Amino acid sequence: MEFKNNIYLPPMARESSIDGKITDALIDYYESMAKLGFGLIILEHAYVDIKGKASPKQMAIDENYDRENLIKIKDVIHKEEAKAFMQISHCGRLTRLDGEKFGPTKEDGVSELSVDQIKDIEDKFIEAGKRVKDMGFDGLEIHCAHGYLLNQFYSPLVNKRDDEYGGSLENRLRVLLEILKKMRRALGDFPIMVRLGACDYEEGGNTIDDAIKAVKVMEEYIDFIDISGGINGFMKHSDNDIGYFTKESKAIKENTKVKVLMTGGIKNKKEAEELISEGACHMVGIGRASLNKDFTLE
């Protein structure tokens, strides 16, 4: 896939949906971002299952998705010759909604997912992927970062299961891999990206070596890997003021055949281009800085 440049807008939750439906304000936001000149725009996370909805104003990609307005968002992005990916997610135990919470392992206030429930969630990811492709998006991103459900399974700090979905790195990745295999069968060569919380940044958690192994296992089924980190959410975890995850991203890039994306602390085009020239990644995301009124990619 070709992009008009190597700078992308990472997914940032705008909390501008009502009952999963898109508001005009959200369409206007993506139109304004597309006009800044990004080569790729990744939409904020959309829930594949109402039980995995993170917050009241998160948008949907479950069976009640807002097809008409999601297509409008895709169209305003394409109008500026940028590619449009949708990020799809299940937040697991992190839901802020009332009701039962689910995760890989039983803990206070959280029920352990059964194997049947895991399979059902996998199927919901696949159905969501079909919707994304059918609407004419250019690709999709599966959210496995920032403490969301697939990241919960990946992390040994959260996943304490003793069945085939817990224990070894291979087992902790099993849910994600099953989704990827099913997704690839269902979608053919449709571009698939994973946003990976590469390292947990806590004692006993996933390390760079684990992340490299994880990407090597996934690379047969994906086209892009989007590097982030932190089992307790996205935050600065290094001494780098520019490119928080540079060390992790570069190590992964050196050990995989898929294209590597990275965001975190990058404020302008010059910084982005420097990181790419240094071999940190193939594409650089500029998030919060893009919200500044004087931001430009010119």
Side-chain angles (χ1 to χ4, degrees), residues 136-286:
F137 279 83
D138 300 295
L140 65 84
E141 177 173 84
I142 297 172
H143 198 343
C144 180
H146 310 157
Y148 273 50
L149 182 65
L150 298 178
N151 193 193
Q152 293 163 28
F153 272 95
Y154 170 55
S155 173
L157 298 175
V158 180
N159 185 348
K160 304 296 184 181
R161 297 176 73 101
D162 58 7
D163 63 1
E164 67 268 35
Y165 292 100
S168 67
L169 177 64
E170 180 181 5
N171 282 357
R172 300 196 314 273
L173 285 169
R174 190 176 301 277
V175 179
L176 176 56
L177 283 172
E178 289 179 347
I179 290 170
L180 289 173
K181 290 176 183 178
K182 292 176 182 177
M183 194 79 79
R184 188 53 78 198
R185 287 196 297 268
L187 303 185
D189 61 358
F190 188 67
I192 297 173
M193 185 186 315
V194 170
R195 190 168 207 192
L196 181 68
C199 302
D200 290 333
Y201 304 107
E202 292 190 19
E203 185 176 355
N206 284 314
T207 64
I208 293 179
D209 286 343
D210 295 318
I212 291 170
K213 292 174 184 175
V215 174
K216 292 294 288 183
V217 171
M218 286 188 276
E219 66 180 359
E220 179 181 351
Y221 308 103
I222 63 176
D223 303 279
F224 307 90
I225 189 78
D226 185 3
I227 301 303
S228 190
I231 188 60
N232 291 313
F234 176 88
M235 60 186 72
K236 181 180 177 181
H237 294 283
S238 72
D239 294 331
N240 294 353
D241 289 326
I242 300 171
Y244 299 162
F245 307 105
T246 298
K247 183 178 179 181
E248 296 83 350
S249 179
K250 189 171 185 178
I252 289 167
K253 180 175 179 288
E254 291 172 352
N255 286 278
T256 185
K257 61 185 180 183
V258 303
K259 289 193 174 181
V260 178
L261 287 74
M262 179 192 68
T263 189
I266 300 101
K267 302 179 185 65
N268 54 54
K269 180 180 179 180
K270 181 176 181 292
E271 292 176 353
E273 291 176 340
E274 286 176 356
L275 286 167
I276 293 170
S277 66
E278 291 168 7
C281 53
H282 296 96
M283 297 184 72
V284 170
I286 301 178

Side-chain angles (χ1 to χ4, degrees), residues 86-100:
M86 274 198 71
Q87 186 188 73
I88 63 177
S89 73
H90 190 299
C91 73
R93 66 179 187 155
L94 291 189
T95 181
R96 301 203 301 272
L97 277 62
D98 294 335
E100 189 174 10

